[in-house]
Amino acid sequence: MVDILHRIGATASADAVYAALTTVDGLADWWTRDTAGDTEVGGVIRFRFGPGGFDMKVLEAEPAERVLWEVVDGPEEWIGTRIRFDLKREDDYTVVVFRHEGWREPVEFMYHCSTKWATFLLSLKKLVETGKGDPAPQDVRISNWH
Amino acid sequence: MVDILHRIGATASADAVYAALTTVDGLADWWTRDTAGDTEVGGVIRFRFGPGGFDMKVLEAEPAERVLWEVVDGPEEWIGTRIRFDLKREDDYTVVVFRHEGWREPVEFMYHCSTKWATFLLSLKKLVETGKGDPAPQDVRISNWH
């Protein structure tokens, strides 16, 4: 099992970051405009990106501390993996320690997703710091795979 | 052992990307301005970033195909790890499949380095596509750890 790891810090409150991870409007403002569903624990959030997307079941949501999702539909390599956002305050920053865990194999698609996650986490940082992120379909293009 | 994985694609030739990985001027234009040393196989390249930096021994350099370094000095967590750039042509892009491999533990610093690598690889992409990258000290700030 292999994991994608990232860490960003934003000069915004933990509550503001948590809201961007646990509301449809917040998620739509940094990950993908086409976000819908139920962001409460036990709910399923549907993220769509042009041709495809992901359905995430919310397993944990601790205000200002942690959000954990399990991928219940999407690309075969993603199904059953988990996406974890751990929040903490440090040096006037809210730090997000991110893990997309449980990949079965380090396929080339995983390399791509690792870089894309970095760009989306920087979009989250930009959103909570400035009020404007870079969600799909206006996301950062990184390669021929988009 | 855990690895950092990334994948980017640039609309530039494999020779141009290879040059940006194997010349002091090229490396200084996307990673850090403070780059010096010998980029030939067996040589050591010194990368410096304000307070610290890394010394890399060049283990492999296959034109337009692969560059492999081993970290011989720097932060304790980096020493002995390897950094690999595999190049290939795909859909009019030069794709860089990147791996920073051999971390002993997924310490929080590794999460940080994963996100920073993404920003530097996007700086490499920008350099070969536009002629101007974002090397340190003008690199993208991602958190309280810079």
Side-chain angles (χ1 to χ4, degrees), chain B residues 4-5 9 13 15 17 27 31 34 36 60-61 70-71 89 97 123 128-130 139:
Chain B
I4 292 170
L5 312 177
S13 70
D15 287 341
V17 174
L27 291 160
W31 201 19
D34 194 350
E60 293 182 34
E70 181 168 331
V71 182
R89 291 290 298 172
V97 178
S123 169
V128 295
E129 289 180 344
T130 72
D139 51 325

Side-chain angles (χ1 to χ4, degrees), chain A residues 5 88 99 108 111 114, chain B residues 5 88 99 108 111 114:
Chain A
L5 313 177
K88 61 180 173 180
R99 186 186 286 230
E108 192 169 336
Y111 289 69
S114 175
Chain B
L5 312 177
K88 61 180 172 179
R99 186 185 286 230
E108 192 169 334
Y111 290 68
S114 175

Side-chain angles (χ1 to χ4, degrees), chain B residues 57-125:
Chain B
K57 182 169 182 181
V58 181
L59 300 186
E60 293 182 34
E62 284 291 326
E65 283 199 6
R66 179 180 307 110
V67 173
L68 177 65
W69 300 328
E70 181 168 331
V71 182
V72 292
D73 202 359
E76 187 268 336
E77 298 93 334
W78 277 53
I79 294 175
T81 62
R82 292 183 174 195
I83 292 159
R84 178 187 301 272
F85 303 86
D86 284 302
L87 312 185
K88 61 180 172 179
R89 291 290 298 172
E90 212 175 275
D91 304 335
D92 295 325
Y93 283 75
T94 298
V95 171
V96 180
V97 178
F98 170 91
R99 186 185 286 230
H100 182 176
E101 61 193 11
W103 290 72
R104 285 179 293 277
E105 298 287 340
V107 292
E108 192 169 334
F109 182 49
M110 183 178 171
Y111 290 68
H112 168 77
C113 293
S114 175
T115 314
K116 281 300 282 194
W117 270 125
T119 67
F120 284 120
L121 290 164
L122 291 171
S123 169
L124 167 63
K125 170 178 167 68

Side-chain angles (χ1 to χ4, degrees), chain A residues 50-68:
Chain A
F54 316 106
D55 286 2
M56 308 289 190
K57 183 169 182 181
V58 181
L59 299 186
E60 293 181 34
E62 285 290 327
E65 284 198 8
R66 179 180 308 109
V67 174
L68 176 65

